[in-house]
Amino acid sequence: EKLVSSIIGLMTVGAILWFSIQIMIAGYGWMTSGGDVKAAADARSRAINAFIGLVVALGALVLVSVVGYLLGVDVLKVGCFIDNLSIGTPTSITCK
């Protein structure tokens, strides 16, 4: 249960980071398109695909949460996973 929760938490954080990178690349492409219709359309497409990917990732997270709740297994301890991510000194957060 703890391993699955850690994997799901890591994948969720990874999806959010990937979304952020893709949005920055799309924004840069849009700003530097210089009136080129194809470049602007490519940047717009990248941004739309990034939003779709984020919605799919968060939807999967909700689906896993609902299935875990129905089965009586608390698989998603994403909050604990995010709280335990630390840079520098570790915190004393314990999740059961």
Side-chain angles (χ1 to χ4, degrees), residues 2-73:
K2 188 173 180 175
L3 175 67
V4 172
S5 176
S6 294
I7 290 171
I8 292 172
L10 187 62
M11 291 176 70
T12 303
V13 170
I16 292 169
L17 288 174
W18 184 252
F19 165 76
S20 300
I21 291 168
Q22 292 301 312
I23 285 296
M24 284 187 266
I25 291 171
Y28 180 76
W30 200 317
M31 289 186 311
T32 60
S33 65
D36 182 13
V37 177
K38 185 180 181 318
D42 288 343
R44 182 174 183 257
S45 175
R46 182 182 292 261
I48 289 172
N49 288 338
F51 277 111
I52 291 171
L54 183 65
V55 168
V56 168
L58 294 179
L61 188 65
V62 169
L63 181 67
V64 168
S65 176
V66 168
V67 169
Y69 176 77
L70 292 175
L71 295 176
V73 179

Side-chain angles (χ1 to χ4, degrees), residues 85-90:
L85 288 177
S86 63
I87 299 172
T89 59

